[in-house]
Amino acid sequence: MSAAKPLNRFLNSLVVNGALAIICLLWTIPTIGLLVSSFRDRIDINTTGWWTVFPHLDWVATEQIKPASDVDRNAPMTLAGVTATFEEFREGIESSDKRLKWIGNRRVGYLEVQQYRWTANTIFTLENYRQVLAGDDYTATLKDGSTVTERGDNMSRAFLNSIAVAVPSTVIPISLAAFAAYGFAWMRFPARKMLFALVVALLVVPLQIALVPILRDFVRLDLNGTFLAVWLAHTGFGLPLATYLLYNYISELPRDILESAFIDGASHFTIFTRLILPLSVPALASFAIFQFLWVWNDYLVALIFIGASPTSQLLTQRLAEIVGSRGQDWHLLTAGAFITMILPLVVFFSLQRFFVRGLLSGSVKG
């Protein structure tokens, strides 16, 4: 009986951890595919799936046969001991473990001798990121030997614009919300509860309803089209939730610590800067992750208050423009998409140790 308990615990742990591992793997497969594709060559992306970077059975080219210039390619041709038309070679002629396949067009193409065996597409390149970030022209060599030259997409300005919007739009509401939360939690003034109820009520106001009135005010104040307009908009939209979350955390801090500080003659500002802020780091970090991800991935607010000017576009706007104009260039789209993910991932993994602690310590308490 006693020996069965450790075994049951082991089996239960194995089942739970195994299920979680499978869910995590399934959840991250699209991200893995995006990352792998962003490092693959343009031709490889257009001809094979990203999963072919893993070992698999496939036709592998072992020899190339270039027909002589006097060979009539509109009539049956005899190549590698096989006589067939151009259309038949293009479809591929298989015999045992070999296949003859025409690559390229009728005029400049060639015959490829392929064998069916284990292989893996392990050719990776940083060229996609260079084209996306630098915007340089690039020349690609197609499989039939011909070349094409296209212009890259410069996302570096959009990346810097997104940082210029996301950082202030995260810091400003957190700073104001922390002051407000402390005031609601530890200061006594008239209509305190009514004002806090008003802040909580603002949580249910839909973002879309407030856009047009705010836009009219910004146009009158000549703020529309500037980063300041987006900072103020994101601050206004994020402030009620930040105040509510931080109030729940700050109001649960031990009363004895604050009372001791008051007895020692500390002012509210001293207590806030020396005690409240250091003790509230988990809650501040939790909301910083939410706010930063929301602002970084925002498209609607930026489009309305900044516009679509190339000099002030954010990453989301730039990426949407690339999807519309170059939807077939997967090598650029995957690299651009992963660039938009890099900074949010850095922020999340930098603050994730506070994330769960901040949510569980105060954010979920009523």
Side-chain angles (χ1 to χ4, degrees):
M1 184 66 181
S2 60
K5 287 184 178 180
L7 180 60
N8 290 336
R9 281 199 297 269
F10 172 74
L11 292 177
N12 291 336
S13 174
L14 183 65
V15 170
V16 171
N17 292 329
L20 291 176
I22 292 173
I23 292 173
C24 291
L25 180 62
L26 294 175
W27 192 263
T28 54
I29 281 178
T31 305
I32 296 173
L34 186 70
L35 177 62
V36 172
S37 297
S38 68
F39 289 103
R40 299 185 72 210
D41 183 70
R42 166 184 176 152
I43 296 176
D44 289 341
I45 289 180
N46 290 332
T47 54
T48 60
W50 65 268
W51 50 89
T52 56
V53 300
F54 301 108
H56 63 284
L57 284 171
D58 200 358
W59 292 105
V60 180
T62 57
E63 183 182 359
Q64 293 182 0
I65 300 175
K66 184 75 173 177
S69 58
D70 58 347
V71 173
D72 184 5
R73 304 183 185 196
N74 294 314
M77 299 174 285
T78 301
L79 299 170
V82 177
T83 301
T85 63
F86 167 76
E87 288 76 13
E88 291 172 331
F89 277 129
R90 191 169 190 176
E91 288 294 324
I93 298 175
E94 297 182 19
S95 61
S96 65
D97 63 339
K98 278 189 176 181
R99 183 171 73 171
L100 303 177
K101 188 173 179 62
W102 189 274
I103 304 298
N105 58 36
R106 187 190 300 262
R107 186 172 58 86
V108 297
Y110 57 88
L111 190 71
E112 192 172 82
V113 181
Q114 302 173 339
Q115 280 192 335
Y116 197 68
R117 62 188 187 191
W118 284 96
T119 183
N121 296 327
T122 55
I123 301 175
F124 299 110
T125 177
L126 293 174
E127 186 68 13
N128 300 338
Y129 286 92
R130 191 181 68 81
Q131 293 166 12
V132 169
L133 289 174
D136 295 338
D137 293 346
Y138 62 96
T139 301
T141 303
L142 303 181
K143 205 165 184 178
D144 60 4
S146 61
T147 60
V148 293
T149 301
E150 296 182 359
R151 178 170 292 278
D153 280 280
N154 189 348
M155 295 181 68
S156 55
R157 178 186 287 270
F159 188 84
L160 295 176
N161 288 341
S162 288
I163 295 176
V165 167
V167 173
S169 298
T170 302
V171 173
I172 294 173
I174 289 180
S175 303
L176 296 178
F179 278 111
Y182 174 77
F184 285 126
W186 295 105
M187 298 177 70
R188 298 294 178 263
F189 53 88
R192 180 174 63 92
K193 292 185 178 179
M194 188 184 70
L195 290 174
F196 184 71
L198 182 63
V199 171
V200 174
L202 289 175
L203 291 172
V204 301
V205 177
L207 167 70
Q208 293 78 5
I209 290 178
L211 289 177
V212 174
I214 293 175
L215 179 61
R216 288 176 178 171
D217 292 338
F218 283 174
V219 170
R220 292 193 195 98
L221 297 172
D222 199 22
L223 292 178
N224 199 42
T226 65
F227 286 163
L228 178 59
V230 187
W231 298 344
L232 294 176
H234 282 303
T235 299
F237 295 137
L239 204 52
L241 179 62
T243 304
Y244 178 70
L245 294 179
L246 293 178
Y247 169 82
N248 285 334
Y249 187 91
I250 292 175
S251 64
E252 295 295 329
L253 293 176
R255 177 178 292 273
D256 296 344
I257 298 178
L258 277 74
E259 289 178 347
S260 300
F262 281 126
I263 292 173
D264 291 340
S267 64
H268 281 294
F269 185 77
T270 302
I271 292 174
F272 177 77
T273 55
R274 299 286 183 86
L275 290 178
I276 300 299
L277 285 183
L279 291 174
S280 303
V281 169
L284 296 172
S286 299
F287 183 76
I289 293 174
F290 280 127
Q291 180 72 0
F292 186 87
L293 295 180
W294 155 250
V295 175
W296 186 266
N297 294 321
D298 168 68
Y299 177 82
L300 179 62
V301 175
L303 182 64
I304 291 177
F305 296 117
I306 290 183
S309 170
T311 58
S312 57
Q313 278 183 332
L314 306 187
L315 268 180
T316 50
Q317 295 173 280
R318 186 67 184 147
L319 191 61
E321 189 175 287
I322 295 176
V323 171
S325 61
R326 320 188 64 159
Q328 77 283 0
D329 294 335
W330 283 96
H331 59 297
L332 299 181
L333 294 176
T334 52
F338 206 79
I339 287 172
T340 65
M341 296 167 56
I342 291 176
L343 196 54
L345 288 174
V346 171
V347 171
F348 179 79
F349 286 116
S350 301
L351 301 177
Q352 60 90 23
R353 63 194 177 103
F354 300 111
F355 186 67
V356 176
R357 187 149 52 103
L359 290 178
L360 297 180
S361 297
S363 301
V364 297
K365 293 180 179 178

